């Protein structure tokens, strides 16, 4: 099975036909897709003016979309290194099992669904790398009352998410499933008490 870097080389290879280059970009999302596969593809298509069903898109647009994906992957891999170093220190200090703070991380190995968007058509409009930087900053700065990505206070609890954890707080501004560790107990309680509201597309 080809890895992310091998697939990225195919996307950039002008000797490959456009259908294969597009397919390789889609396969990259099986290795790294911050919003989930469908939402990340929708995001890249919207930002780089690619028709989602176009089998032979402009190669320059494909490469621009790949560049954005790779930049975000660098941000995430750096976080993974820091996470591994922190866990090593914690184990040295006798904390063998990750705390509840890291429950969300268990569901995002490889960077899939780091900032999952349950509705594939509703996702942040900023670059993937910027969204991940904001999310990581929120995780590192401690619990707050707003979405770490868009700073909106409108967060509602969804009991019927399409992926694990199956229920959780969703930002009505940018559409991400907000990692619970970034929210205070009060903010989570308020989200659970808020009636479900339809999410509008921000892409």
């Amino acid at each position: 099975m080809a890895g992310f870097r091998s697939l990225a080389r195919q996307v950039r290879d002008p000797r490959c036909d456009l259908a294969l280059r597009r397919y390789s970009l889609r396969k990259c999302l099986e290795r790294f897709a911050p919003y989930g596969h469908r939402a990340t593809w929708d995001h890249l298509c919207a930002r780089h003016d690619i028709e989602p069903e176009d089998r032979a898109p402009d190669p320059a647009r494909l490469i621009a979309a790949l560049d954005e994906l790779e930049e975000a992957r660098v941000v995430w891999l750096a976080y993974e290194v820091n996470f591994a170093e922190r866990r090593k220190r914690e184990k040295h200090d006798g904390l063998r099992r990750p705390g509840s703070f890291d429950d969300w991380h268990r569901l995002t190995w490889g960077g899939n669904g780091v900032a999952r968007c349950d509705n594939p058509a509703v996702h942040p409009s900023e670059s993937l790398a910027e969204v991940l930087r904001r999310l990581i900053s929120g995780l590192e700065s401690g619990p707050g009352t707003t979405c770490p990505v868009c700073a909106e206070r409108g967060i509602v609890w969804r009991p019927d998410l399409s992926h694990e954890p199956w229920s959780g707080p969703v930002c009505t501004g940018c559409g991400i499933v907000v990692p619970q560790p970034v929210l205070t107990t009060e903010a989570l309680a308020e989200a659970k008490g808020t009636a479900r509201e339809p999410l509008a597309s921000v892409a």
Side-chain angles (χ1 to χ4, degrees):
M1 181 184 295
F4 184 95
R5 287 182 293 182
S6 176
L7 290 165
R9 283 195 295 271
Q10 287 184 346
V11 176
R12 289 198 167 90
D13 190 345
R15 296 169 299 178
C16 296
D17 65 51
L18 285 174
L20 175 59
R21 294 171 74 178
R22 174 193 179 276
Y23 173 79
S24 296
L25 180 59
R26 289 297 299 261
K27 293 294 284 185
C28 282
L29 301 184
E30 293 180 9
R31 312 303 187 270
F32 178 71
Y35 300 159
H37 189 283
R38 291 176 57 207
T40 304
W41 177 247
D42 190 82
H43 166 88
L44 291 174
C45 288
R47 278 184 58 89
H48 300 284
D49 200 22
I50 299 170
E51 285 296 324
E53 301 304 323
D54 186 355
R55 303 297 178 193
D58 181 342
R61 293 176 183 174
L62 282 178
I63 292 172
L66 176 63
D67 287 343
E68 178 178 347
L69 189 64
E70 286 181 321
E71 181 187 6
R73 186 168 177 264
V74 167
V75 172
W76 179 249
L77 291 177
Y79 177 80
E80 291 273 66
V81 168
N82 291 335
F83 175 85
E85 290 174 351
R86 174 170 64 83
R87 284 296 301 135
K88 186 176 180 180
R89 290 193 303 271
E90 289 173 346
K91 288 178 182 179
H92 180 269
D93 293 338
L95 182 61
R96 305 303 299 174
R97 296 185 59 176
S100 60
F101 177 87
D102 293 318
D103 283 349
W104 73 276
H105 187 268
R106 175 179 55 82
L107 304 175
T108 61
W109 288 113
N112 286 304
V114 175
R116 185 170 298 282
C117 298
D118 198 57
N119 181 342
V122 182
H123 42 73
S125 57
E126 295 83 5
S127 74
L128 293 169
E130 177 60 23
V131 167
L132 291 187
R133 288 187 194 101
R134 292 179 188 180
L135 183 64
I136 291 167
S137 177
L139 287 162
E140 293 174 343
S141 62
T145 59
T146 62
C147 172
V149 170
C150 69
E152 287 289 327
R153 295 186 64 89
I155 298 172
V156 297
W157 189 268
R158 304 278 175 173
D160 54 355
L161 298 177
S162 58
H163 294 83
E164 197 176 355
W166 311 117
S167 64
V170 175
C171 176
T172 59
C174 67
I176 73 161
V177 179
V178 182
Q180 293 187 43
V182 306
L183 296 174
T184 63
T185 302
E186 293 76 17
L188 280 170
E190 183 177 342
K192 290 178 180 179
T194 304
R196 290 181 52 147
E197 301 170 9
L199 295 176
S201 176
V202 295

